[in-house]
């Protein structure tokens, strides 16, 4: 029975006929904004004559941007100007001379995938609302597992490496003692987590979030290259056993990797001691999939992920659906709404092929090796250590310190050099490069090559620019 | 000293001069894909003659999509076809007749903001790499706190409501006993969490993830409208006290809201008993900000969030930076890389103003009330209960059941009706509407109005279409 109501229907003074949005005006706005994005971000991504950043102090930037949200809306013209301002004062992480973080550059395929998913706005939990993205996630996880070299496995995309580490820790303790899910930790002896003293800071965050406590993270001493010392690990395990605690040896691969120094091969004796049951893989870093894109992969294929994480919400995971509900994989997640992050990695992989991805990584490593050799040739530059991956850590010793005697005063003065150079490069906008102190070593630069837009010329520029910025120091 | 190297530089057989990507071809690919997105997703968002979904069973869809990732990449032409396929077989959550989930519709401003951030690819942890987005987040959180009616507060955007609930629970226990951060839960008496038996399933997930354990979630009985019964809460608290356990009364506002039935006003006596210290606010739901957009807001302004979550990574949060490092707010988060989700809410709020947002919500509520009245008028439709918000829960009793006596057989048969209608509507692609059983009640439909593209005509269509699909049942 089709009813027709030609007159306007009012409920509580609200007219309910027709939509309340002007679709045509909205579409035009999207088109105009896309033109700005194309011209101001995408087409400038490979242009080294552009600034990496246009520095403004927080208080100044607040005044430039009209941050306040008001009762009435702004015109499209004003909003488009706002979009231009946002772009202008944002850091251009796709610039070939943005070396500041472990993500950089632009991948056109991943970007297209992200535009598609933003427009479609899916949530990946059931096949009924997310058929394509669930199948894509399944295919990507399968491929990643193959790539690692496991015969089988399982996995889930989630909001980043830190959250992946939490997933892995919680899985490890669940496997060790499944009642933890229901009973919690309070009845149990303490759980202890072993990790490298050079691990990522997410380990401590995870230990406290999961109720383990940061004091129960036993940090294992490392050698001068940042690698865990097997005897130290054994010593800590013995210590924990004596204290009559439960043991969870956390086997997530990334935990073993010295994060800053990035020498990621562990001594064989540690591999023997605890082989990885899970891997956290972040394609949003060196593979340029865009933040966020991260999977936790587990070797187990007996449904451990699901058993550990499921809560069986009846309003999502109805068992009387007309299709195979084993495709409704959302209950493996700690999230409810979840982004289709696997899709951007998938489209990129389809576009470049495994060899294209490999070429990028090889090129980045070759550029890092080139930079290392150049650093060795130049006066004033000093490597912290020979890198094994794409992170090149080095000091720049400015002219006034080169004749100084090695001693506390020298290091104290050198400690102040990197922050000054950093300030100058930010204010000039010529490049961005991170610095930090680490394990008793004074401030040094950490250069990371990631973007396929980076060339040898940018490596030379990096060193030239540091010399130029610091010539009076 | 500027060095010039005109000849190609080779390292390990890799040529390092110039970039390895063809930017022009990449930009062209983005432009062509954007055209497809514009035509196939954005311009069709308000067109009710389009299908909501084009149903394919998993095995068939796998064959249609070429999911395999190979050694060599695909041509741009092939990739663009792939993008078309992905769009074609994805559910159109922006369709005016997608009523399946608590997100729906399209907001053009939020979409533009999302395109901008995908192109800029920022991570929100330090002012140096994310100046604009950190200031925007600060402004949005301030405005949200004002909106709630608190005099002051703090907050953080994070990957969704489930994660927000975890943040809040962990904050609550930290406030109760700050040593939990270092010592963990093992030395402590059990923590108990009180929540409504009608709470969202993320409560259980959170309790197990945080080491509290699902058995220590005390579910409080609710009345026939799904509201927590004050006496039952008091009874459970007494029970916990007798058992000599520690108490954490979880005061997150959303916990009190019956999730499915959505009658969110608690009796005053419960408000008196435990007023909210934190609020999880998901603008990616009714406000259409796009998944994911969620903030945890806390009333505390003494730095509780930071104290509870900080890990002080030296490689990000250097204290000797040249600007005010109190703007480096990333250490309040459990994540490291974090998306600029506040920005899309901000641009939308700027565009629509508070009154524009209000108008959308009022319209959705008026449409829900209209639907309720229509349901009451039509034979065969039966409300579960009078809704207080935008969720309308109802049964459709098909012709063959209308003369049946009330009894177990009737309810058992009615239970099977919604899944059949759902299957038919999915295969036809005319609309999408969720169903579920709940607290002893057999399968019913849950209709949610969110999108501003929805009109009274769509409400009529919904009821007509159910009648049409079920006329032979």
């Amino acid at each position: 029975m089709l009813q027709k109501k030609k007159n306007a229907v009012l409920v509580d003074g609200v007219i309910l006929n027709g939509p309340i949005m002007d679709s045509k005006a909205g579409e035009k706005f999207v088109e105009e904004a896309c033109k700005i994005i194309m011209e101001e971000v995408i087409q400038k991504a490979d242009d080294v004559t552009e600034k990496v950043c246009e520095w403004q102090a927080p208080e100044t930037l607040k005044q430039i941007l009209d941050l306040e949200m008001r009762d009435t809306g702004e015109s499209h013209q004003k909003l488009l100007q706002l979009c231009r301002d946002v772009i202008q004062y944002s850091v251009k992480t796709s610039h070939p001379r943005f070396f500041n973080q472990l993500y950089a550059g632009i991948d056109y395929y991943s970007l297209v995938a992200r535009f598609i998913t933003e427009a479609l706005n899916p949530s990946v939990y059931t096949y009924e609302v997310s058929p394509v993205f669930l199948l894509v996630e399944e295919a990507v996880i399968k491929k990643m597992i193959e790539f690692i070299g496991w015969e089988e496995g399982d996995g889930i995309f989630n909001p980043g490496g830190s959250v992946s580490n939490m997933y892995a820790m919680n899985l490890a303790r669940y496997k060790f003692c499944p009642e933890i899910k229901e009973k919690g930790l309070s009845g149990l002896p303490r759980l202890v987590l072993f990790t490298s003293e050079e691990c990522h800071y997410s380990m401590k965050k995870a230990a406290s979030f999961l109720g383990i406590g940061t004091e129960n993270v036993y940090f294992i001493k490392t050698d001068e290259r940042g690698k865990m010392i097997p005897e130290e690990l054994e010593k800590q395990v013995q210590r924990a056993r004596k204290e009559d605690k439960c043991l969870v040896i956390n086997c997530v691969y990334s935990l073993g990797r010295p994060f800053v120094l990035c020498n990621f091969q562990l001594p064989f004796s540690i591999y023997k001691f605890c082989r990885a049951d899970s891997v956290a893989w972040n394609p949003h870093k060196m593979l340029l999939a865009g933040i966020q894109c991260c999977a936790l992969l587990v070797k187990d294929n007996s449904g451990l992920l699901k058993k550990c994480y499921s809560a069986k919400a009846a309003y999502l995971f109805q068992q009387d659906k007309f299709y195979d509900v084993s495709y409704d994989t959302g209950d493996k997640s700690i999230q409810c709404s979840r982004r289709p992050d696997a899709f951007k990695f998938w489209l990129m992989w389809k576009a470049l092929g495994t060899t294209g991805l490999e070429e990028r990584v090889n090129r980045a490593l070759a550029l890092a090796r080139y930079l290392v050799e150049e650093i060795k040739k130049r006066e004033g530059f000093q490597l912290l250590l020979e890198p094994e991956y794409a992170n090149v850590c080095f000091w720049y010793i400015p002219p006034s310190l080169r004749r100084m005697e090695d001693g506390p005063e020298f290091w104290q003065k050198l400690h102040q050099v990197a922050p000054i150079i950093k300030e100058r490069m930010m204010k000039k906008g010529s490049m961005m490069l991170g610095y930090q102190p680490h394990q008793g070593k004074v401030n040094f630069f950490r250069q990371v090559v990631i973007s396929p837009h980076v060339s040898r010329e940018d490596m030379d520029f990096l060193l030239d620019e540091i010399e130029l910025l610091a010539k009076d120091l």
Side-chain angles (χ1 to χ4, degrees), chain A:
Chain A
M1 181 193 59
L2 291 166
Q3 295 177 326
K4 295 285 167 210
K5 293 189 191 63
K6 277 177 193 151
N7 298 327
V9 173
L10 262 100
V11 171
D12 299 340
V14 182
I15 300 173
L16 300 185
N17 296 55
I20 51 166
M21 267 169 115
D22 181 348
S23 302
K24 288 292 153 247
E27 288 160 18
K28 193 159 175 279
F29 178 73
V30 176
E31 263 175 16
E32 283 171 8
C34 281
K35 206 165 160 269
I36 295 173
I37 296 168
M38 203 66 202
E39 287 169 6
E40 298 301 318
V41 188
I42 300 171
Q43 288 172 359
K44 287 183 177 171
D46 64 344
D47 186 353
V48 289
T49 67
E50 289 288 325
K51 282 186 171 186
V52 177
C53 61
E54 192 163 326
W55 170 261
Q56 298 290 350
E59 294 309 321
T60 321
L61 188 52
K62 276 186 201 174
Q63 284 170 7
I64 296 172
L65 299 167
D66 174 25
L67 289 168
E68 205 188 326
M69 290 143 278
R70 304 190 180 82
D71 285 352
T72 50
E74 307 283 358
S75 69
H76 281 188
Q77 202 190 341
K78 172 82 195 283
L79 293 168
L80 292 171
Q81 185 51 48
L82 220 48
C83 292
R84 282 182 194 278
D85 293 342
V86 163
I87 292 170
Q88 182 176 350
Y89 296 104
S90 285
V91 169
K92 307 302 180 299
T93 66
S94 50
H95 194 288
R97 290 171 186 169
F98 176 79
F99 303 118
N100 208 71
Q101 242 70 35
L102 291 172
Y103 62 91
I106 190 167
D107 175 84
Y108 302 104
Y109 310 105
S110 147
L111 187 60
V112 160
R114 290 179 268 157
F115 286 169
I116 290 174
T117 51
E118 289 301 340
L120 288 171
N121 197 34
S123 178
V124 187
Y125 31 56
T126 63
Y127 184 80
E128 107 191 35
V129 289
S130 207
V132 174
F133 301 114
L134 269 176
L135 293 185
V136 165
E137 178 164 358
E138 189 192 48
V140 173
I141 284 172
K142 195 165 159 268
K143 186 78 178 176
M144 290 169 97
I145 285 166
E146 239 180 79
F147 212 83
I148 291 169
W150 292 341
E151 276 170 27
E152 52 175 24
D154 196 1
I156 187 119
F157 275 77
N158 63 70
S162 298
V163 175
S164 286
N165 288 339
M166 290 181 181
Y167 263 98
M169 281 187 190
N170 186 45
L171 267 180
R173 71 182 180 189
Y174 175 80
K175 198 176 172 185
F176 172 72
C177 170
E179 299 106 74
I180 284 181
K181 184 175 176 178
E182 287 88 30
K183 303 215 172 290
L185 295 173
S186 60
L188 290 173
R190 269 194 269 176
L191 291 177
V192 175
L193 181 76
F194 302 96
T195 188
S196 159
E197 63 178 356
E198 299 243 356
C199 73
H200 188 253
Y201 76 117
S202 59
M203 289 298 104
K204 277 171 84 173
K205 292 210 180 214
S208 99
F209 201 61
L210 299 183
I212 293 169
T214 51
E215 278 181 11
N216 296 312
V217 182
Y218 285 18
F219 293 101
I220 312 301
K221 279 200 186 129
T222 55
D223 63 19
E224 71 292 346
R225 304 192 59 73
K227 298 177 189 211
M228 232 193 256
I229 301 168
E231 295 73 27
E232 291 292 329
L233 174 59
E234 203 139 2
K235 215 188 284 175
Q236 294 286 1
V237 173
Q238 294 307 334
R239 177 187 143 205
R241 284 207 172 117
K242 262 189 212 139
E243 289 166 357
D244 201 24
K245 292 167 181 177
C246 287
L247 294 184
V248 171
I249 296 177
N250 204 296
C251 299
V252 177
Y253 186 50
S254 63
L255 304 193
R257 189 179 71 113
F259 182 72
V260 171
L261 304 178
C262 210
N263 295 327
F264 64 151
Q265 286 141 329
L266 294 174
F268 180 69
S269 44
I270 285 183
Y271 274 133
K272 242 178 67 180
F273 193 85
C274 51
R275 281 176 192 275
D277 286 323
S278 64
V279 170
W281 181 343
N282 283 17
H284 71 223
K285 295 202 165 133
M286 199 161 202
L287 294 176
L288 283 100
I291 293 166
Q292 61 196 47
C293 185
C294 183
L296 179 78
L297 304 164
V298 296
K299 215 187 220 167
D300 173 277
N301 199 27
S302 73
L304 188 69
L305 252 180
K306 192 164 183 187
K307 278 180 264 174
C308 179
Y309 288 105
S310 66
K312 298 180 181 132
Y315 81 100
L316 278 175
F317 307 111
Q318 303 92 323
Q319 297 302 300
D320 54 2
K321 285 179 181 174
F322 67 96
Y323 60 86
D324 176 1
V325 292
S326 72
Y327 284 97
D328 290 356
T329 53
D331 214 17
K332 289 197 297 195
S333 169
I334 55 164
Q335 299 179 273
C336 180
S337 300
R338 192 164 62 93
R339 297 173 53 86
D341 296 326
F343 176 61
K344 48 192 174 181
F345 190 28
W346 178 75
L347 195 66
M348 198 173 79
W349 203 327
K350 292 290 283 184
L352 299 168
T354 310
T355 47
L357 294 173
E358 199 184 339
E359 195 191 348
R360 279 194 188 167
V361 175
N362 286 342
R363 158 93 170 199
L365 295 177
L367 280 167
R369 285 194 292 275
Y370 172 80
L371 185 68
V372 166
E373 294 313 312
E374 290 301 304
I375 284 172
K376 287 179 185 166
K377 283 181 205 161
R378 293 206 190 196
E379 204 194 341
F381 288 89
Q382 195 182 317
L383 276 182
L384 248 80
L385 75 173
E386 284 286 337
E388 292 177 4
Y389 196 54
N391 290 16
V392 181
C393 300
F394 65 92
W395 286 288
Y396 178 68
I397 300 152
S400 71
L401 296 186
R402 287 188 201 156
R403 307 281 165 264
M404 235 179 120
E405 227 173 285
D406 191 349
E409 202 195 330
F410 169 82
W411 291 107
Q412 199 192 339
K413 289 203 164 188
L414 186 60
H415 187 58
Q416 293 160 21
V417 168
I420 298 170
I421 298 175
K422 177 70 180 260
E423 177 174 0
R424 291 176 179 182
M425 77 172 76
M426 293 282 294
K427 289 184 171 168
K428 188 175 170 190
S430 55
M431 63 178 185
M432 276 181 70
L433 180 63
Y435 75 85
Q436 74 214 88
H438 184 68
Q439 306 277 29
K441 292 190 173 75
V442 304
N443 280 326
F444 56 87
F445 288 113
R446 183 176 65 142
Q447 204 277 0
V448 195
V449 184
I450 288 174
S451 166
H453 277 128
V454 174
S455 66
R456 191 267 307 152
E457 291 83 345
D458 300 308
M459 299 291 98
D460 293 337
F461 176 85
L462 170 87
L463 301 179
D464 293 343
E465 184 69 3
I466 290 174
E467 280 177 351
L468 191 68
L469 292 168
K471 66 181 175 197
D472 63 327
L473 296 180

